[in-house]
Amino acid sequence: METMMSILVGILVTVATYLILSKSLLRVILGTAIMSHAVHMLILVMGGFSRDSSAPLLGEEAASYTDALPQALILTAIVISFGVTAFFLVLAYRTYKELKTDDLTKLRGHDNDE
Amino acid sequence: MSNLLVIPMVLPLIVGIILIFLRPFVRTQRIISFLTMLLTFGVSTYLLVEVQRNGIQTLDFGGWDAPYGITFVGDSFSLLLTATAYFIAAIVLIYVFATIGEEKEKMFVYPLILLLLAGVACSFLTGDLFNLYVGFEVMLLASYALIVLGGEKGQLRESIKYVLVNVFSSFVFLIAIAFLYGTLGTLNFAQLSLRVAEAGQPALLTTIAIVLLLVFSLKAGLLLYFWLPGSYGAPPMGIAALFGALLTKVGIYALFRVFTLLFYHEPDITHTLIGIMAILTMIGGSIGAIAYNDLRKIIAYNVVIAVGFILSGLAIANQAAIEGSIFYLVHDMIVKALLFLLIGATIYLSNVGRLDRVSGMIRNYPLLGWMFFITMISLAGIPPLSGFIGKVYVAQGAIESGAYVLLAFTLISSIFVLYSLLRIFRAVFFGESTISKEDMLPMKKAMIIPSIIFVAASFALGFGVEGIAGVVSDAAETLMNPTIYIDAVLNQGGA
C-alpha cells in the first residue's frame, strides 16, 4: 500500500513540475494544485498505515490504532491550499484583465516601466 | 501556564474579522485597529517581563499537555520579537492612516494588516512545526492580499511571482514536515529536540534540516532573495514598511529556532552552510544596493544585507554572536520600518522615486533630511544609536570562535550599507533644490510623527542597552541551551 502511494506521489509531483514550468499562468496554478495533493498524500504515507489497525475512536479492543495526527494535519493543509488556490485563480483572472496576457514570459518586470 | 499567551494571536484575528463588517466606517476602523495594536503590544511586553520573573511561559490549548496538544511557548526571544512587531505595527498604522487613501481603507486594508500580525505572532509563539506552517500561511495570505491591494499593473505582475514562490516553498515546507514526522514521529519542538539528540542527528536528519533551511531561506531572503526587491517595491509604502520590518524576520526567527533547538549537532554541515549563504547574501545585497538608481530597490536590497548580517550571528553560534544577532534583529526591525517610511515621505513629496531626478530635499524639508541622516548612521552602526551594540557582539562572537572570514564580510557589508545610503543622501537631499518654494507640498504631520517616534526608539535602544540587555542575554541563553526550553515545555508544573 505504501509503495503504491509513494509511486502515485511521484507521478503527481512529475505532472505538477511539468505544469509549473509551463508558460501559461493557468497551467502553473493547476500545477500548484496538483502539487498540493502530492504533498498531502506524502504526509499520509509518512504517517504509515496497515490493514489490521482500526479507527482510533471505535472500541478499545483493537490490537493497534491508526495514527490520527497525519489526517488532522492534512485536513488543515487542504483548507489552506484550497484558500491559496482560490486566491491565486482570482489574482490570475485580474492580471489577465489588466495586463491582457497570461504568458509568464511577458510578465517580467522592467526597471523603467513605472 | 499563562492564558494571556494566546492574546497576541487571537485578539488581532477576532478584531480583524469584526472590522470586515465595519467596512464603511473608516474612522472606527482606524481607532479600533490602532487600539488593538497598542493593547497587544502591552500584553506582549507584560508577558516578556513575566518571563524574566518566572521563566518560560507555556500554554497548552484545551488542557492537552505537550507534546500531544497544540502548545504556545513564549520565551524571551519570541516575546521580544512579538512585542517589537506590535510596536512597529502600531506606529506604522499612523503612517498608513495618512497615506493609504480612502479607497483602500474601504477595501479591508486594516483587517488585512491585523490578520498579517496574527500570523506573525502565531509563527513567533507556536511550539510545534505544523503550527509554524499554519502561522506562515496566515501571514502570507494576508500579505498576498496586501501586496495586490489597489490592483495596479505593476502590483499584479510582481504579486504573481511572490505568490508562486511562496506557494512552492510552502509545499517544500510540508514535505520536510512529512519526512520529519515519518522519521521521528512528532512535530513538537521540545520533543523533536529530544529525539534528534537521542538519534545523534544522522545524515537523514541533516538532510531534512537542509530542506528546512531552504524553505526558511526563501521566506527570510537568505541567498534566495531574488523575489524580494520586486515585491517590496510593489505595494504602497506604509505596507512595504510592514513587510520590510516583519516578513523576512519571521523566516529569520524560524531559522534561529530550528537551528539552535533542533539541529545543532552537526554545525560543521548546517551552520557552515548558513555561514556561506549569509556571506553570499551580503555580497549580493551589497551589489544590488549600489547598482540601482531606484530608491525602493536600494532600500529593498538593504533589507537583504541585514538578513545576511543577522544570520552570520547564527552561523557563528556562540553566546556573544547570538546576543548580537538578537540586538541587531530588534534594531533592524525598527530602523528598516523607519527607512521605508522616510523614503515613502521623500517619494510622496518629490513625486519621483529615482536618485537622478531629484535633489536638494534637505533645503525644503530639513527635518526629513536630518532624520534620514540619523537613520543612515544608525544602520551603519555609529555608537550612540541602536545598530552599534549588535555589531559589536557579533564581531566579538566571530573573534572568539575564529570566524575571521565571516567577520570581514559583516564589517565590509556595513560599509556598503553606509555607501548605498550616502548615495541617496548626497543625490536626493544635498545639492541644488529641484522643488521651488511655491511648488512645495506641505508635509503631513501624520507622515512625519511615526518617523520621529522610530528615531526616538532607535536612540532609546542605543542609550538604554542596559535595560534590554537582560532580556537579550536571557533569550540567547535559552537559544544556546535547548534543555531550558525542553524543561519548560515538557515538565511544567510537575517534577
Side-chain angles (χ1 to χ4, degrees), chain B residues 56-96:
Chain B
I56 296 174
Q57 304 284 309
T58 60
L59 172 60
D60 301 324
F61 287 98
W64 290 85
D65 285 347
Y68 301 109
I70 293 172
T71 310
F72 265 25
V73 184
D75 63 348
S76 294
F77 185 45
S78 52
L79 282 169
L80 184 65
L81 291 182
T82 316
T84 318
Y86 277 104
F87 170 71
I88 287 165
I91 310 297
V92 169
L93 267 183
I94 304 175
Y95 183 89
V96 173

Short mmCIF file of all heavy atoms in Angstrom, two decimals, chain B residues 56-96:
data_model
loop_
_atom_site.label_atom_id
_atom_site.label_comp_id
_atom_site.label_asym_id
_atom_site.label_seq_id
_atom_site.Cartn_x
_atom_site.Cartn_y
_atom_site.Cartn_z
N ILE B 56 10.08 30.59 31.31
CA ILE B 56 9.32 30.50 30.05
C ILE B 56 7.85 30.21 30.29
O ILE B 56 7.50 29.35 31.10
CB ILE B 56 9.96 29.40 29.17
CG1 ILE B 56 11.37 29.79 28.79
CG2 ILE B 56 9.11 29.15 27.95
CD1 ILE B 56 12.13 28.73 28.06
N GLN B 57 7.00 30.96 29.60
CA GLN B 57 5.56 30.78 29.73
C GLN B 57 5.07 29.82 28.64
O GLN B 57 5.46 29.95 27.48
CB GLN B 57 4.84 32.11 29.55
CG GLN B 57 5.29 33.20 30.48
CD GLN B 57 4.74 33.00 31.87
OE1 GLN B 57 3.55 32.80 32.06
NE2 GLN B 57 5.62 33.02 32.85
N THR B 58 4.22 28.86 29.03
CA THR B 58 3.66 27.97 28.01
C THR B 58 2.15 27.92 28.17
O THR B 58 1.63 28.22 29.24
CB THR B 58 4.20 26.53 28.14
OG1 THR B 58 3.84 26.04 29.43
CG2 THR B 58 5.68 26.49 27.97
N LEU B 59 1.49 27.55 27.09
CA LEU B 59 0.04 27.41 27.12
C LEU B 59 -0.34 26.19 26.29
O LEU B 59 -0.03 26.14 25.09
CB LEU B 59 -0.62 28.67 26.56
CG LEU B 59 -2.12 28.61 26.36
CD1 LEU B 59 -2.84 28.34 27.66
CD2 LEU B 59 -2.63 29.90 25.76
N ASP B 60 -0.97 25.20 26.92
CA ASP B 60 -1.45 24.02 26.19
C ASP B 60 -2.93 24.20 25.94
O ASP B 60 -3.72 24.25 26.88
CB ASP B 60 -1.22 22.74 27.01
CG ASP B 60 0.24 22.55 27.32
OD1 ASP B 60 1.05 22.88 26.47
OD2 ASP B 60 0.54 22.07 28.42
N PHE B 61 -3.31 24.29 24.68
CA PHE B 61 -4.71 24.54 24.37
C PHE B 61 -5.58 23.35 24.77
O PHE B 61 -5.20 22.20 24.56
CB PHE B 61 -4.88 24.83 22.88
CG PHE B 61 -4.38 26.18 22.51
CD1 PHE B 61 -3.12 26.34 21.97
CD2 PHE B 61 -5.15 27.30 22.73
CE1 PHE B 61 -2.65 27.60 21.64
CE2 PHE B 61 -4.69 28.55 22.41
CZ PHE B 61 -3.44 28.70 21.86
N GLY B 62 -6.73 23.65 25.34
CA GLY B 62 -7.71 22.62 25.67
C GLY B 62 -7.23 21.64 26.72
O GLY B 62 -7.80 20.56 26.86
N GLY B 63 -6.19 21.98 27.47
CA GLY B 63 -5.74 21.10 28.54
C GLY B 63 -5.02 19.85 28.07
O GLY B 63 -4.74 18.96 28.87
N TRP B 64 -4.73 19.77 26.76
CA TRP B 64 -3.95 18.62 26.28
C TRP B 64 -2.48 18.94 26.47
O TRP B 64 -1.94 19.81 25.80
CB TRP B 64 -4.23 18.35 24.81
CG TRP B 64 -5.60 17.83 24.57
CD1 TRP B 64 -6.74 18.55 24.41
CD2 TRP B 64 -5.97 16.46 24.46
NE1 TRP B 64 -7.80 17.72 24.22
CE2 TRP B 64 -7.37 16.44 24.24
CE3 TRP B 64 -5.27 15.25 24.53
CZ2 TRP B 64 -8.07 15.24 24.10
CZ3 TRP B 64 -5.97 14.08 24.37
CH2 TRP B 64 -7.36 14.07 24.17
N ASP B 65 -1.85 18.22 27.39
CA ASP B 65 -0.45 18.53 27.69
C ASP B 65 0.44 18.32 26.46
O ASP B 65 0.19 17.44 25.65
CB ASP B 65 0.04 17.60 28.82
CG ASP B 65 -0.53 18.04 30.14
OD1 ASP B 65 -1.07 19.17 30.19
OD2 ASP B 65 -0.45 17.28 31.11
N ALA B 66 1.47 19.16 26.39
CA ALA B 66 2.50 18.92 25.39
C ALA B 66 3.11 17.56 25.70
O ALA B 66 3.19 17.19 26.85
CB ALA B 66 3.57 20.01 25.49
N PRO B 67 3.54 16.81 24.75
CA PRO B 67 3.62 17.01 23.30
C PRO B 67 2.36 16.63 22.53
O PRO B 67 2.43 16.57 21.31
CB PRO B 67 4.76 16.06 22.93
CG PRO B 67 4.66 14.97 23.92
CD PRO B 67 4.17 15.59 25.17
N TYR B 68 1.22 16.36 23.22
CA TYR B 68 0.08 15.84 22.43
C TYR B 68 -0.81 16.93 21.88
O TYR B 68 -1.43 16.78 20.84
CB TYR B 68 -0.73 14.86 23.29
CG TYR B 68 0.12 13.73 23.76
CD1 TYR B 68 0.49 13.60 25.08
CD2 TYR B 68 0.61 12.81 22.83
CE1 TYR B 68 1.33 12.58 25.49
CE2 TYR B 68 1.44 11.79 23.23
CZ TYR B 68 1.80 11.67 24.56
OH TYR B 68 2.62 10.68 24.95
N GLY B 69 -0.92 18.03 22.60
CA GLY B 69 -1.83 19.07 22.13
C GLY B 69 -1.11 20.15 21.36
O GLY B 69 0.07 20.04 21.04
N ILE B 70 -1.86 21.22 21.08
CA ILE B 70 -1.25 22.40 20.46
C ILE B 70 -0.68 23.25 21.57
O ILE B 70 -1.36 23.55 22.55
CB ILE B 70 -2.31 23.19 19.67
CG1 ILE B 70 -2.79 22.37 18.48
CG2 ILE B 70 -1.74 24.52 19.22
CD1 ILE B 70 -3.95 22.98 17.76
N THR B 71 0.58 23.62 21.45
CA THR B 71 1.24 24.35 22.52
C THR B 71 1.73 25.70 22.03
O THR B 71 2.24 25.79 20.92
CB THR B 71 2.45 23.55 23.04
OG1 THR B 71 2.02 22.23 23.30
CG2 THR B 71 3.00 24.17 24.30
N PHE B 72 1.56 26.73 22.85
CA PHE B 72 2.21 28.01 22.60
C PHE B 72 3.31 28.18 23.62
O PHE B 72 3.10 27.91 24.81
CB PHE B 72 1.21 29.16 22.73
CG PHE B 72 0.61 29.59 21.42
CD1 PHE B 72 0.54 28.71 20.37
CD2 PHE B 72 0.13 30.88 21.25
CE1 PHE B 72 -0.01 29.08 19.16
CE2 PHE B 72 -0.43 31.27 20.04
CZ PHE B 72 -0.49 30.37 18.99
N VAL B 73 4.48 28.60 23.16
CA VAL B 73 5.60 28.79 24.07
C VAL B 73 6.10 30.21 23.92
O VAL B 73 6.42 30.64 22.82
CB VAL B 73 6.75 27.81 23.76
CG1 VAL B 73 7.85 27.96 24.78
CG2 VAL B 73 6.24 26.40 23.72
N GLY B 74 6.15 30.94 25.04
CA GLY B 74 6.73 32.28 24.97
C GLY B 74 8.01 32.33 25.76
O GLY B 74 7.98 32.35 26.99
N ASP B 75 9.16 32.32 25.08
CA ASP B 75 10.41 32.57 25.79
C ASP B 75 10.84 34.01 25.48
O ASP B 75 10.15 34.72 24.74
CB ASP B 75 11.49 31.55 25.43
CG ASP B 75 11.87 31.60 23.97
OD1 ASP B 75 11.15 32.25 23.21
OD2 ASP B 75 12.87 30.98 23.59
N SER B 76 11.95 34.44 26.02
CA SER B 76 12.35 35.84 25.85
C SER B 76 12.48 36.20 24.37
O SER B 76 12.06 37.28 23.95
CB SER B 76 13.69 36.08 26.53
OG SER B 76 13.56 35.94 27.90
N PHE B 77 13.06 35.28 23.59
CA PHE B 77 13.31 35.57 22.18
C PHE B 77 12.01 35.84 21.43
O PHE B 77 11.83 36.88 20.80
CB PHE B 77 14.06 34.39 21.56
CG PHE B 77 14.49 34.58 20.15
CD1 PHE B 77 15.09 35.75 19.74
CD2 PHE B 77 14.31 33.57 19.22
CE1 PHE B 77 15.50 35.92 18.43
CE2 PHE B 77 14.73 33.72 17.91
CZ PHE B 77 15.31 34.90 17.52
N SER B 78 11.04 34.89 21.56
CA SER B 78 9.82 35.05 20.77
C SER B 78 8.99 36.23 21.26
O SER B 78 8.41 36.96 20.46
CB SER B 78 9.01 33.76 20.79
OG SER B 78 8.79 33.34 22.09
N LEU B 79 8.94 36.44 22.59
CA LEU B 79 8.11 37.54 23.09
C LEU B 79 8.74 38.89 22.78
O LEU B 79 8.04 39.87 22.51
CB LEU B 79 7.87 37.39 24.58
CG LEU B 79 6.80 36.35 24.89
CD1 LEU B 79 6.76 36.03 26.36
CD2 LEU B 79 5.44 36.84 24.44
N LEU B 80 10.08 38.95 22.80
CA LEU B 80 10.75 40.20 22.42
C LEU B 80 10.39 40.58 20.99
O LEU B 80 10.05 41.73 20.70
CB LEU B 80 12.27 40.02 22.55
CG LEU B 80 13.14 41.25 22.28
CD1 LEU B 80 12.89 42.31 23.31
CD2 LEU B 80 14.60 40.87 22.27
N LEU B 81 10.41 39.56 20.11
CA LEU B 81 10.08 39.84 18.71
C LEU B 81 8.61 40.19 18.56
O LEU B 81 8.24 41.08 17.78
CB LEU B 81 10.44 38.64 17.84
CG LEU B 81 11.92 38.38 17.69
CD1 LEU B 81 12.17 37.21 16.77
CD2 LEU B 81 12.64 39.60 17.16
N THR B 82 7.72 39.50 19.30
CA THR B 82 6.29 39.80 19.21
C THR B 82 6.04 41.24 19.65
O THR B 82 5.32 41.99 18.96
CB THR B 82 5.49 38.86 20.12
OG1 THR B 82 5.98 37.54 19.95
CG2 THR B 82 4.02 38.91 19.78
N ALA B 83 6.64 41.63 20.78
CA ALA B 83 6.42 42.99 21.29
C ALA B 83 6.93 44.01 20.27
O ALA B 83 6.24 44.99 19.96
CB ALA B 83 7.13 43.16 22.63
N THR B 84 8.14 43.76 19.72
CA THR B 84 8.68 44.70 18.73
C THR B 84 7.76 44.78 17.52
O THR B 84 7.50 45.87 16.98
CB THR B 84 10.08 44.25 18.27
OG1 THR B 84 10.80 43.82 19.41
CG2 THR B 84 10.82 45.37 17.61
N ALA B 85 7.26 43.62 17.07
CA ALA B 85 6.40 43.60 15.88
C ALA B 85 5.15 44.45 16.11
O ALA B 85 4.76 45.24 15.25
CB ALA B 85 6.01 42.17 15.55
N TYR B 86 4.53 44.32 17.29
CA TYR B 86 3.31 45.09 17.55
C TYR B 86 3.61 46.57 17.74
O TYR B 86 2.81 47.42 17.34
CB TYR B 86 2.54 44.51 18.73
CG TYR B 86 1.68 43.37 18.29
CD1 TYR B 86 2.04 42.06 18.57
CD2 TYR B 86 0.54 43.60 17.56
CE1 TYR B 86 1.28 41.01 18.14
CE2 TYR B 86 -0.23 42.55 17.11
CZ TYR B 86 0.14 41.26 17.40
OH TYR B 86 -0.61 40.23 16.94
N PHE B 87 4.76 46.88 18.34
CA PHE B 87 5.16 48.28 18.47
C PHE B 87 5.27 48.91 17.07
O PHE B 87 4.68 49.96 16.79
CB PHE B 87 6.51 48.35 19.20
CG PHE B 87 7.15 49.72 19.18
CD1 PHE B 87 6.60 50.76 19.92
CD2 PHE B 87 8.29 49.95 18.43
CE1 PHE B 87 7.19 52.01 19.90
CE2 PHE B 87 8.88 51.19 18.41
CZ PHE B 87 8.32 52.23 19.14
N ILE B 88 5.99 48.20 16.18
CA ILE B 88 6.18 48.73 14.82
C ILE B 88 4.85 48.85 14.10
O ILE B 88 4.56 49.87 13.46
CB ILE B 88 7.15 47.82 14.05
CG1 ILE B 88 8.55 48.03 14.60
CG2 ILE B 88 7.11 48.11 12.57
CD1 ILE B 88 9.51 46.99 14.19
N ALA B 89 3.99 47.83 14.25
CA ALA B 89 2.72 47.85 13.54
C ALA B 89 1.88 49.04 14.00
O ALA B 89 1.26 49.73 13.18
CB ALA B 89 1.97 46.55 13.79
N ALA B 90 1.87 49.31 15.32
CA ALA B 90 1.08 50.43 15.83
C ALA B 90 1.56 51.74 15.24
O ALA B 90 0.75 52.57 14.79
CB ALA B 90 1.17 50.47 17.36
N ILE B 91 2.89 51.93 15.18
CA ILE B 91 3.42 53.21 14.69
C ILE B 91 3.21 53.33 13.18
O ILE B 91 2.83 54.39 12.67
CB ILE B 91 4.92 53.35 15.03
CG1 ILE B 91 5.18 53.06 16.50
CG2 ILE B 91 5.43 54.73 14.67
CD1 ILE B 91 4.54 54.00 17.46
N VAL B 92 3.45 52.22 12.46
CA VAL B 92 3.29 52.27 11.01
C VAL B 92 1.83 52.56 10.65
O VAL B 92 1.55 53.22 9.65
CB VAL B 92 3.80 50.96 10.35
CG1 VAL B 92 3.40 50.90 8.89
CG2 VAL B 92 5.30 50.86 10.46
N LEU B 93 0.90 52.08 11.49
CA LEU B 93 -0.52 52.35 11.23
C LEU B 93 -0.78 53.85 11.13
O LEU B 93 -1.58 54.28 10.29
CB LEU B 93 -1.37 51.76 12.34
CG LEU B 93 -1.92 50.35 12.12
CD1 LEU B 93 -2.80 49.95 13.28
CD2 LEU B 93 -2.70 50.27 10.83
N ILE B 94 -0.11 54.65 11.97
CA ILE B 94 -0.33 56.11 11.91
C ILE B 94 0.02 56.62 10.52
O ILE B 94 -0.68 57.44 9.94
CB ILE B 94 0.55 56.84 12.97
CG1 ILE B 94 0.27 56.29 14.35
CG2 ILE B 94 0.30 58.33 12.92
CD1 ILE B 94 1.18 56.87 15.42
N TYR B 95 1.14 56.10 9.98
CA TYR B 95 1.56 56.50 8.64
C TYR B 95 0.54 56.02 7.60
O TYR B 95 0.20 56.75 6.66
CB TYR B 95 2.93 55.89 8.36
CG TYR B 95 3.54 56.26 7.04
CD1 TYR B 95 4.32 57.39 6.93
CD2 TYR B 95 3.33 55.48 5.92
CE1 TYR B 95 4.89 57.74 5.72
CE2 TYR B 95 3.88 55.82 4.71
CZ TYR B 95 4.67 56.94 4.62
OH TYR B 95 5.23 57.28 3.42
N VAL B 96 0.04 54.80 7.80
CA VAL B 96 -0.94 54.26 6.85
C VAL B 96 -2.21 55.11 6.85
O VAL B 96 -2.78 55.38 5.79
CB VAL B 96 -1.26 52.78 7.20
CG1 VAL B 96 -2.40 52.26 6.35
CG2 VAL B 96 -0.03 51.92 6.99
#
